[in-house]
């Protein structure tokens, strides 16, 4: 992608924007086909998510989740590994948080948050470790094994919550006891009441942890030796091998980092919001991470912005259900699917015409002969552009 | 567990294995042609919804089946477009298709029926009836053979028998026809097929479309035979279990029958017993539910017989550079 004929701004901004516009356009057609007004739906979406402090409280809460899962998927992407197991890793992260907070009497939320983060990251990474190990040493396809581990995690969590961690008298719903009052994370309402957040806002200090995670990933990928090795491995495994980079080590390390980052989501969702471990604390956020990482081009800044977009979509989608009769929040899944489709799978469909456009406008003054051979796996059309 | 109990479990396993079998054979065609398909789940779901919706509107289950196949084919076309024509990432395309199906079935379902994503219950001709095989009543009284024939083999919907028929059919197509040979070759070495003057793109589209048709059967069976109508997320991971079965079967048709029946059996056990007492050890039902996935990971890890996928699987074919 780096040797593209497109200027950088087109790659990082124009193409994702067109992808998003296409996804919204097609979703708009779907909305119109079922007899609703797409512009009204869009207005409710935007207004419900960012039109009020109440909306922002939820939007940024979802954003926090998606930053963690998006960063996790992005780190794996850099090593050209597709971690589709975010659901399971985040659920296990929730287990880590719950165990840390239930069995240790923490004096203050700051220490508890630190410990819970370690627990979440450790459990999330542990759940990614087995697929990573099997990929690295046995060549088992990581996509398949991580999917399988999602289902195994889901069964494991149901088992643990309904048989092991269940509190007596929880009213039948499988959940753990409520965490102690001392480990309550300050919510946005408690930190900054002057911003107008409602008392029930789920947004909490984990948001800052998510921003810290963005900075950490940026430093790691572009400013450390390990990050260089991950990227080198992702670009070309034989070259990395030749340079003395161990594929086993990079596969393990990047998947552990990926799982750990995704596990951290539980600090926000389990410790920050629910304050107990319930069935399925992840709510699809692990999958949203895929869309976020794709759309954010695996860059922390992109991931942050894409997470914000999806946070707004998830909050606004909830509002749609209340406001429009016969409309459900699942329209968000459609938008999410289309974003993944256009940014991930149909990327060439959007990219090639734009590339050709740039190639023709740029070559018009003088027609320089291509001096470098095309890279393998490149677009065959690229070399054929008219001089 | 007595003999009749075993028959009942096997009978239930056969019903539950049928959608897995269709989906597994669907995946087999696609992956043998070198197109990974993790969107089986989404295609099953889309087909289940549209078949139930059309069966409800028309009162004719066959029209429902046709609509289900069309729904599945449309998603197949997207997958083909993304992974064959535009050479995109097949795994990402599959993920997108799964989300598209789980979103759009509920959105459209709510708009059409207003039942929170369900379709109304199907009755009479809008469902596949159970077929009684000839002489089933006559030989019911016979020991051993009677229950096996009358209770286990007889009394299923026609799709169950068609599913079983698809196994030898798939085997025959793949191993005894020119098309099958080319299809398998395109999944192993597309360049060789191309050199021989056969269209890689055409073959792969054909495989993806066959996959769509079979997923259509799986979804229609789910909504109009196994249950009476569509409910939100009713595929419930069956597409992924089918994928697991496909790996378990090492991409071979007869083994696919075995693997899907085994996973159907696990499902049937899980439905019947909340927990299973095996040799004094209490095995929770969740373990039974997770067992197909655990087995698949073990197989993939190569500890028990190595599963080697088609060599060109997942790689877009670039004709020339």
């Amino acid at each position: 992608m780096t040797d593209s004929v497109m200027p950088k701004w087109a790659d990082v901004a124009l193409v994702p924007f067109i992808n998003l516009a296409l996804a919204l356009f097609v979703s708009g057609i779907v909305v119109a086909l079922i007899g609703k007004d797409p512009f009204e739906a869009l207005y409710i979406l935007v207004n419900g998510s960012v039109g009020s402090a109440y909306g922002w409280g939820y939007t940024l809460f979802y954003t926090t989740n998606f930053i963690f899962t998006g960063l996790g998927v992005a780190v794996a992407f850099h090593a050209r590994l597709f971690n589709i197991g975010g659901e399971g890793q985040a659920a296990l992260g929730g287990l880590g948080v719950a165990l840390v907070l239930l069995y240790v009497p923490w004096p203050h939320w700051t220490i508890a948050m630190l410990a819970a983060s370690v627990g979440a990251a450790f459990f999330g990474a542990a759940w990614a470790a087995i697929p990573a190990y099997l990929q690295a040493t046995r060549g088992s396809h990581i996509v398949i094994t991580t999917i399988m581990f999602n289902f195994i995690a889901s069964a494991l969590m149901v088992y643990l919550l309904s048989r092991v961690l269940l509190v007596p008298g929880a009213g039948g719903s499988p959940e753990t006891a409520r965490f102690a009052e001392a480990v309550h994370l300050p919510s946005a309402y408690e930190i900054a009441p002057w911003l107008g957040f409602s008392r029930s806002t789920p947004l909490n200090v984990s948001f800052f942890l998510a921003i810290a995670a963005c900075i950490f990933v940026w430093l790691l990928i572009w400013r450390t030796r390990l990050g260089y090795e991950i990227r080198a491995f992702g670009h070309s495994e034989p070259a990395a091998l030749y340079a003395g980079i161990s594929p086993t080590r990079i596969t393990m390390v990047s998947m552990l980092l990926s799982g750990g980052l995704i596990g951290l989501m539980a600090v926000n969702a389990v410790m920050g919001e629910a304050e107990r471990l319930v069935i399925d604390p992840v709510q699809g956020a692990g999958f949203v991470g895929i869309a976020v990482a794709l759309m954010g081009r695996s860059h922390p800044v992109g991931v942050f912005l894409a997470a914000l977009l999806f946070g707004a979509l998830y909050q606004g989608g909830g509002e749609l259900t209340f406001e429009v009769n016969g409309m459900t929040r699942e329209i968000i899944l459609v938008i999410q699917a289309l974003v993944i489709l256009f940014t991930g799978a149909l990327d060439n469909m959007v990219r090639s015409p734009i590339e050709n456009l740039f190639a023709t406008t740029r070559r018009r003054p003088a027609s320089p002969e291509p001096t470098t051979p095309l890279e393998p796996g490149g677009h065959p059309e690229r070399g054929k552009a008219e001089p | 567990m007595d003999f009749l109990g075993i028959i009942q479990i096997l009978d239930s396993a056969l019903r539950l294995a049928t959608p897995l079998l269709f989906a597994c054979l669907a995946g087999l065609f696609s992956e043998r042609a070198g197109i990974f398909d993790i969107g089986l789940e989404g295609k099953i779901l889309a087909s289940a919804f549209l078949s139930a919706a059309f069966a409800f509107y028309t009162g004719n289950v066959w029209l429902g089946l046709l609509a289900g196949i069309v729904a599945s084919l449309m998603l197949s076309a997207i997958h083909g477009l993304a992974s064959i024509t535009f050479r995109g990432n097949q795994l990402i395309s599959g993920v997108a298709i799964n989300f598209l199906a789980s979103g759009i079935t509920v959105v459209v379902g709510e708009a059409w029926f207003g039942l929170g994503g369900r379709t109304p219950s199907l009755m009479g001709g809008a469902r596949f009836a159970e077929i009684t095989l000839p002489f089933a009543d006559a030989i019911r009284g016979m020991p051993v053979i009677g229950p096996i024939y009358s209770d286990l083999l007889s009394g299923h919907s026609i799709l169950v028998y068609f599913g079983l028929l698809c196994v030898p059919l798939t085997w025959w197509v793949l191993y005894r026809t020119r098309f099958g040979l080319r299809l398998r070759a395109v999944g192993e070495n597309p360049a060789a097929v191309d050199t021989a003057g056969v269209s890689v793109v055409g073959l792969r589209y054909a495989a993806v479309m066959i996959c769509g048709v079979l997923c259509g059967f799986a979804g229609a069976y789910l909504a109009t035979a196994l249950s009476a109508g569509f409910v939100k997320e009713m595929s419930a991971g069956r597409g992924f279990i089918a994928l697991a079965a496909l790996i378990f079967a090492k991409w071979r048709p007869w083994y696919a029958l075995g693997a899907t029946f085994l996973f159907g059996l696990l499902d049937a056990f899980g439905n019947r017993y909340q927990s299973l007492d095996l040799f004094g050890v209490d095995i929770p039902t969740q373990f039974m539910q997770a067992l197909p996935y655990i087995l698949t990971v073990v197989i993939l890890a190569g500890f028990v017989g190595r599963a080697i996928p088609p060599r060109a699987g997942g790689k877009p074919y670039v004709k020339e550079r």
Side-chain angles (χ1 to χ4, degrees):
Chain A
M1 264 185 234
T2 45
D3 50 349
S4 168
V5 291
M6 286 194 292
K8 202 170 169 30
W9 66 267
D11 186 49
V12 300
L14 184 64
V15 174
F17 177 77
I18 293 175
N19 287 329
L20 178 66
L22 276 173
L24 286 177
F25 178 70
V26 177
S27 319
I29 292 178
V30 170
V31 172
L33 281 180
I34 61 170
K36 310 279 181 262
D37 181 3
F39 294 100
E40 191 202 348
L42 187 66
Y43 172 76
I44 293 169
L45 252 181
V46 174
N47 194 40
S49 55
V50 295
S52 65
Y54 172 85
W56 272 105
Y58 280 88
T59 295
L60 290 178
F61 166 74
Y62 291 124
T63 303
T64 310
N65 285 342
F66 301 156
I67 289 174
F68 286 123
T69 55
L71 285 177
V73 177
V75 167
F77 270 156
H78 277 291
R80 198 160 287 183
L81 294 164
F82 189 9
N83 179 10
I84 202 168
E87 288 291 302
Q89 288 146 19
L92 265 284
L95 181 65
V97 168
L99 293 179
V100 163
L101 295 182
L102 283 175
Y103 294 108
V104 184
W106 300 100
H108 192 260
W109 67 265
T110 44
I111 316 169
M113 188 176 173
L114 204 66
S117 304
V118 172
F122 179 78
F123 272 70
W127 202 247
I130 306 167
Y133 176 79
L134 293 177
Q135 164 84 56
T137 62
R138 318 278 311 184
S140 320
H141 203 302
I142 197 141
V143 171
I144 307 292
T145 46
T146 47
I147 290 175
M148 299 300 143
F149 266 71
N150 280 343
F151 286 100
I152 299 171
S154 144
L156 178 70
M157 295 295 282
V158 173
Y159 171 72
L160 287 177
L161 280 174
S162 59
R163 298 261 195 126
V164 183
L165 293 168
L166 181 72
V167 273
S173 65
E175 57 183 39
T176 66
R178 205 180 160 82
F179 303 148
E181 196 54 44
V183 304
H184 167 75
L185 290 183
S187 72
Y189 173 78
E190 287 149 18
I191 298 169
W194 62 87
L195 286 174
F197 290 114
S198 69
R199 191 180 284 271
S200 63
T201 186
L203 179 65
N204 59 73
V205 287
S206 313
F207 181 65
F208 298 112
L209 185 66
I211 292 174
C214 284
I215 299 167
F216 164 76
V217 168
W218 182 79
L219 285 172
L220 173 86
I221 296 291
W222 281 281
R223 287 294 179 272
T224 66
R225 176 195 286 255
L226 177 64
Y228 174 76
E229 289 177 349
I230 290 176
R231 282 182 296 135
F233 176 76
H235 274 287
S236 166
E237 190 177 335
L241 194 62
Y242 188 71
I245 297 169
S246 155
T248 310
R249 180 170 151 267
I250 295 300
T251 304
M252 284 303 291
V253 169
S254 41
M255 275 304 285
L256 289 177
L257 282 167
S258 175
L261 282 164
I262 291 171
L264 279 177
M265 191 207 108
V267 175
N268 184 43
V270 177
M271 186 184 188
E273 195 220 3
E275 305 200 352
R276 63 170 86 75
L277 187 59
V278 295
I279 286 280
D280 192 20
V282 190
Q283 300 279 330
F287 291 128
V288 180
I290 299 167
V292 167
L294 281 170
M295 185 146 185
R297 289 279 179 268
S298 300
H299 191 285
V301 175
V303 165
F304 180 87
L305 294 174
L308 191 61
L309 175 79
F310 274 95
L313 280 177
Y314 266 69
Q315 164 54 16
E319 294 294 311
L320 263 185
T321 316
F322 299 120
E323 300 274 334
V324 185
N325 197 19
M327 188 76 160
T328 60
R329 61 170 302 131
E330 273 78 8
I331 189 74
I332 302 310
L333 275 178
V334 176
I335 300 178
Q336 182 185 329
L338 292 168
V339 165
I340 295 176
L341 191 68
F342 285 121
T343 54
L346 287 172
D347 193 43
N348 284 345
M349 184 180 85
V350 178
R351 192 177 287 272
S352 296
I354 300 175
E355 276 180 350
N356 288 345
L357 194 70
F358 276 108
T360 48
T361 49
R362 198 185 271 178
R363 282 177 193 184
R364 207 162 284 154
S367 55
E369 287 296 308
T371 48
T372 48
L374 287 167
E375 91 282 22
H379 313 296
E381 293 88 350
R382 200 185 285 163
K384 290 183 209 154
E386 288 297 314
Chain B
M1 206 185 330
D2 60 345
F3 180 67
L4 278 177
I6 294 173
I7 291 288
Q8 277 171 5
I9 287 275
L10 290 176
D11 178 66
S12 163
L14 187 58
R15 285 168 206 275
L16 292 166
T18 299
L20 300 178
L21 181 61
F22 276 120
C24 188
L25 293 176
L28 190 111
F29 273 102
S30 186
E31 301 212 347
R32 271 300 179 108
I35 303 291
F36 277 161
D37 195 350
I38 57 175
L40 296 175
E41 174 83 2
K43 279 181 270 209
I44 297 172
L45 193 65
S47 160
F49 169 72
L50 211 63
S51 61
F54 266 66
F56 174 73
Y57 278 133
T58 61
N60 185 336
V61 69
W62 293 99
L63 289 177
L65 172 67
L66 202 67
I69 292 174
V70 168
S72 176
L73 275 175
M74 270 156 50
L75 292 182
S76 271
I78 295 178
H79 191 53
L81 196 70
S83 50
I84 305 169
T85 305
F86 288 107
R87 294 190 280 273
N89 188 319
Q90 299 169 7
L91 299 164
I92 293 175
S93 168
V95 170
I97 282 167
N98 289 337
F99 287 130
L100 191 60
S102 56
I104 215 154
T105 49
V106 179
V107 168
V108 177
E110 174 68 20
W112 283 357
F113 303 108
L115 294 169
R118 280 191 303 118
T119 61
S121 292
L122 302 175
M123 277 172 285
R127 279 192 72 194
F128 278 106
E130 292 175 350
I131 292 176
T132 309
L133 293 184
F135 316 116
D137 290 326
I139 64 168
R140 188 178 300 267
M142 284 171 71
V144 186
I145 298 173
I148 288 181
Y149 184 77
S150 307
D151 294 333
L152 176 57
L153 294 178
S154 173
H156 295 286
S157 83
I158 189 155
L159 289 186
V160 172
Y161 303 110
F162 179 65
L164 292 173
L165 187 70
C166 276
V167 177
L169 208 64
T170 303
W171 175 84
W172 182 78
V173 169
L174 280 181
Y175 295 99
R176 288 292 180 273
T177 65
R178 184 196 301 223
F179 172 74
L181 177 68
R182 287 172 172 175
L183 191 104
R184 284 182 292 135
V186 92
E188 298 289 337
N189 191 347
V193 177
D194 201 14
T195 313
V198 183
S199 164
V200 174
V201 170
L203 272 170
R204 286 191 162 174
Y205 263 107
V208 166
M209 289 300 159
I210 294 172
C211 168
V213 171
L214 287 169
C215 280
F217 277 105
Y221 174 80
L222 217 52
T224 60
L226 196 61
S227 40
F230 176 85
V231 286
K232 188 173 160 179
E233 298 292 338
M234 85 178 302
S235 49
R238 284 190 173 84
F240 294 111
I241 295 211
L243 210 59
L246 181 60
I247 294 161
F248 208 72
K250 299 177 187 172
W251 296 269
R252 290 172 297 187
W254 284 106
Y255 289 80
L257 177 64
T260 49
F261 189 75
L262 174 69
F263 291 172
L265 197 61
L266 287 173
D267 203 2
F269 266 115
N271 287 348
R272 196 176 155 108
Y273 302 103
Q274 272 312 297
S275 70
L276 198 63
D277 190 49
L278 208 64
F279 310 118
V281 185
D282 178 43
I283 296 170
T285 167
Q286 287 87 11
F287 180 75
M288 305 284 287
Q289 285 162 1
L291 202 53
Y293 307 111
I294 297 172
L295 286 175
T296 306
V297 172
V298 171
I299 288 284
L300 267 176
F303 295 123
V304 189
R306 200 151 174 74
I308 300 160
R311 245 181 62 203
K315 295 190 200 86
Y317 178 64
V318 182
K319 197 180 176 83
E320 54 182 31
R321 294 192 172 121

